[in-house]
Amino acid sequence: MAEYRVQSEGDSNDFVFTRSFRKIYRMFRSLKNKKGRFVLIIGTPGTGKSANIYSALKILDLNVYDPTLFLDNMNMNSSEVFCEFFKTLRLDLGVKTDEEIYQKVAEYDAVLLADKVLDSEFLDENKFGLSLWTENNGIRAFPFYLKVFREYLKHRGDLEKVNVVIQTAFMIKFRGVKYDLLTDFSILSQIFVFLMNLFFELIRISYSEDETVQIVLNNFPDVGEEEVRSCIVTYGCRPRFIFEALEKMGMGKKRS
């Protein structure tokens, strides 16, 4: 449901300052004084990665480049998506070569690759973003991420002048339910996270049960705490999924 996704700094209202948020806030605050950081923000679907990111940006005075990627064809292969991504960056930044991209983005405190790249279908219903393309293509999308990783290794020197923050998820669907390879598969997810930690800084968005209750009650003030805890048993500590469930059940109204 689009109304529970955050795609800009101004969208995040009634925000609860959790432990995960404070980690992101401290990391963002340090970006003004140090370049060359490559940060991956991970979290199981429904935990509000976007809300945490954009709420921190709303508080801090950072000059952030937040590009948008619109894809037209779900059948595009990995090479075509990779080329479209860099074509979009060249046009958006007003440069002619990929090398100039790195020079241009070095002028910002950080480059943010988040909802406007991953879920751009919520900005234009006739287009779609990288997450939906990945979900639709499954294992065939993996070469795209290999290309991105090779680009990272190739331009590591250029990236020492740039801070990059990526909202990251590797989504797969099983029996109609979405799962994230980085968070939802116990030991396998731990192995993936360990390997990625060798190259990047990782911040995981997760909540305690009490934090989840506070988040939900802050958005649905007419719902009782016991009803929220009952939803946590079903959906886990994933506020967005609980928001959607409460609204479907007609149990109170989300705060506007």
Side-chain angles (χ1 to χ4, degrees), residues 1-228:
M1 297 177 70
E3 60 266 36
Y4 299 133
R5 292 178 181 268
V6 179
Q7 290 130 0
S8 71
E9 295 178 38
D11 290 339
S12 182
N13 297 314
D14 304 312
F15 191 76
V16 176
F17 295 90
T18 63
R19 288 172 297 175
S20 291
F21 172 79
R22 289 192 287 272
K23 290 179 183 178
I24 289 182
Y25 176 84
R26 288 193 296 267
M27 182 274 294
F28 274 11
R29 187 175 58 185
S30 70
L31 294 180
K32 271 191 171 294
N33 303 316
K34 185 178 179 181
K35 291 291 183 77
R37 301 183 66 180
F38 207 109
V39 183
L40 304 184
I41 298 176
I42 65 174
T44 194
T47 50
K49 295 183 289 294
S50 300
N52 280 274
I53 291 169
Y54 287 111
S55 293
L57 289 178
K58 187 176 182 179
I59 296 172
L60 295 165
D61 182 25
L62 292 175
N63 182 23
V64 175
Y65 176 49
D66 186 9
T68 302
L69 175 64
F70 290 118
L71 300 176
D72 296 305
N73 183 356
M74 195 68 75
N75 295 318
M76 296 171 71
N77 61 39
S78 293
S79 294
E80 291 171 331
V81 174
F82 186 79
C83 290
E84 182 65 25
F85 176 61
F86 276 88
K87 176 185 175 182
T88 297
L89 293 178
R90 289 194 302 272
L91 290 173
D92 193 30
L93 294 168
V95 300
K96 295 182 179 180
T97 67
D98 291 350
E99 286 69 24
E100 290 178 288
I101 290 175
Y102 295 98
Q103 298 171 15
K104 194 70 174 177
V105 296
E107 300 173 5
Y108 293 85
D109 292 323
V111 176
L112 174 64
L113 305 178
D115 272 3
K116 294 179 182 179
V117 169
L118 298 174
D119 298 310
S120 54
E121 61 271 15
F122 292 102
L123 301 177
D124 184 340
E125 62 182 10
N126 297 314
K127 308 285 185 178
F128 56 91
L130 192 59
S131 289
L132 197 57
W133 174 82
T134 300
E135 179 185 328
N136 185 72
N137 285 272
I139 194 66
R140 292 175 298 171
F142 189 66
F144 170 81
Y145 295 98
L146 285 179
K147 289 178 181 293
V148 171
F149 184 63
R150 284 201 298 268
E151 185 74 11
Y152 163 78
L153 294 177
K154 178 181 177 182
H155 289 278
R156 194 67 189 96
D158 296 317
L159 289 169
E160 289 180 355
K161 303 174 184 177
V162 182
N163 289 319
V164 181
V165 179
I166 301 180
Q167 177 186 321
T168 312
F170 295 97
M171 306 300 302
I172 62 172
K173 184 179 285 188
F174 180 69
R175 294 181 178 177
V177 179
K178 293 181 181 180
Y179 297 96
D180 175 24
L181 285 174
L182 294 177
T183 57
D184 291 335
F185 291 93
S186 187
I187 295 176
L188 180 61
S189 293
Q190 292 178 36
I191 292 172
F192 276 121
V193 169
F194 173 78
L195 293 174
M196 298 184 78
N197 255 320
L198 297 177
F199 301 95
F200 315 119
E201 297 180 57
L202 263 69
I203 296 178
R204 178 171 180 171
I205 304 299
S206 63
Y207 308 115
S208 67
E209 183 172 319
D210 287 342
E211 285 177 330
T212 305
V213 170
Q214 184 181 0
I215 291 168
V216 176
L217 292 180
N218 204 46
N219 284 273
F220 285 81
D222 297 330
V223 174
E225 181 175 331
E226 290 306 312
E227 285 84 359
V228 178

